[in-house]
Amino acid sequence: MRPKLLVTGGHGVLAGYVRRLMPHYQVIAPDKLELDITNDTAVTKLLNQEKPAVIIHAAALTDVDYCQSHPELADQVNARASGQLALAAEAIGAQFVYISTAAVFNGRSEFSVESDEPDPINHYGRSKLAGERLVAEFSPSALIVRSAWLIGGGREQRKFVANILRLAETQTELAVVNDKVGSLTYARDLVEFIDRSLPSRLSGIYHFASAGECSRYDIAECLVSTMQLPTRLVPVGSEFFAESFAAPRPDREVLRSIKHDFSIDWQTTLKQYIEDELR
């Protein structure tokens, strides 16, 4: 019989790849309507009922500006609920995997590795860092994986690459920010990394992303070129969109690792994603 795996955020990009790429588990993927992760009673009831061997906690409040203007809700979802899930996982002996973010760093260094001291500059980053610390406290053997700019899913996703593609197919000119850079993380690759990590019960903090760094403009340029779209891209500074943003963004969300190699460069990763999901 296949062991059970519970992934939170059942309608999210990461959960979609878990269902597709981990058929050797019986995947349980409740969405936020089926499981309110802030409801301790509901969480405990589900875990005691299903007894999953593995829990991948991917659900989070990820809208950076919304977190900035709703800090209490961000803390409740990203921090407190993560700690309670880790505590409940520990009670049933489940392996716990927490998905975190490069936003726990201030972005002033050329890059960040696992041993660097976090220093978030917005409330999204602060709430995720608080979640990391609660998970580590309540489930000491947990695996905490920090990713950077996450890509994945199809054209229906409301993420940067899919948004740019939709706009580029209907507009002749697009302004794209070029003064902030980050690492790229393909959700499919992240799920495969987690899957490989489970048999050895890998624990602690790990960074996972593609090699190299890119700006949003670089991503858009690669996308438009690969898809052979006629759209003209205009590089702009982040101040161009300043009125749309409530939260500050790090200048550099670049991850590297002292624990393993990032073997695939971001261009190859992005082109693979385009071929897999967007053609």
Side-chain angles (χ1 to χ4, degrees), residues 23-278:
H24 38 289
Y25 288 94
Q26 182 181 336
V27 176
I28 305 160
D31 63 22
K32 62 183 179 182
L33 297 179
E34 296 166 325
L35 177 64
D36 177 1
I37 62 170
T38 66
N39 184 325
D40 298 347
T41 301
V43 167
T44 301
K45 180 180 178 181
L46 179 64
L47 265 59
N48 286 335
Q49 175 183 311
E50 297 292 350
K51 293 287 196 301
V54 177
I55 298 171
I56 300 175
H57 180 32
L61 199 58
T62 59
D63 185 315
V64 176
D65 297 310
Y66 189 84
C67 288
Q68 195 74 8
S69 56
H70 298 79
E72 292 182 0
L73 181 59
D75 289 341
Q76 185 179 15
V77 174
N78 293 344
R80 183 185 175 280
S82 300
Q84 289 301 310
L85 268 165
L87 186 63
E90 194 72 8
I92 63 170
Q95 286 181 261
F96 194 79
V97 181
Y98 178 64
I99 308 301
S100 193
T101 171
V104 301
F105 297 107
N106 60 31
R108 299 188 189 104
S109 301
E110 182 182 356
F111 57 84
S112 299
V113 298
E114 291 91 345
S115 58
D116 288 334
E117 186 66 26
D119 179 28
I121 65 171
N122 56 47
H123 202 78
Y124 168 64
R126 286 190 287 272
S127 66
K128 290 295 289 182
L129 177 60
E132 283 189 10
R133 289 172 172 168
L134 287 171
V135 166
E137 177 183 352
F138 294 138
S139 183
S141 61
L143 173 61
I144 297 170
V145 186
R146 293 176 182 147
S147 64
W149 294 351
L150 193 71
I151 59 173
R155 288 170 174 255
E156 76 284 355
Q157 291 297 325
R158 297 178 63 185
K159 289 188 173 293
F160 177 76
V161 175
N163 286 341
I164 287 292
L165 179 58
R166 282 193 292 269
L167 291 171
E169 289 177 332
T170 59
Q171 299 183 21
T172 58
E173 185 174 286
L174 281 178
V176 187
V177 172
N178 72 341
D179 63 351
K180 294 186 183 292
V181 299
S183 299
L184 212 58
T185 304
Y186 186 5
R188 185 201 68 179
D189 295 341
L190 176 55
V191 167
E192 290 177 343
F193 169 73
I194 292 169
D195 191 22
R196 293 193 303 270
S197 303
L198 292 174
S200 62
R201 302 189 73 89
L202 198 67
S203 64
I205 296 173
Y206 278 75
H207 289 179
F208 186 85
S210 299
E213 62 185 56
C214 53
S215 68
R216 300 287 188 183
Y217 180 86
D218 294 330
I219 296 170
E221 188 175 48
C222 183
L223 175 66
V224 166
S225 173
T226 302
M227 297 291 285
Q228 298 182 322
L229 298 172
T231 307
R232 176 175 174 265
L233 299 175
V234 180
V236 297
S238 49
E239 69 278 358
F240 186 86
F241 295 103
E243 292 184 1
S244 303
F245 297 148
R249 267 71 167 173
D251 288 336
R252 301 182 62 81
E253 293 185 85
V254 180
L255 294 179
R256 292 188 186 170
S257 178
I258 56 174
K259 298 183 176 182
H260 65 120
D261 293 330
F262 297 166
S263 56
I264 304 175
D265 63 84
W266 72 266
Q267 295 98 329
T268 301
T269 295
L270 179 57
K271 290 175 182 178
Q272 186 62 58
Y273 166 52
I274 292 168
E275 291 301 319
D276 289 345
E277 305 285 358
L278 301 180

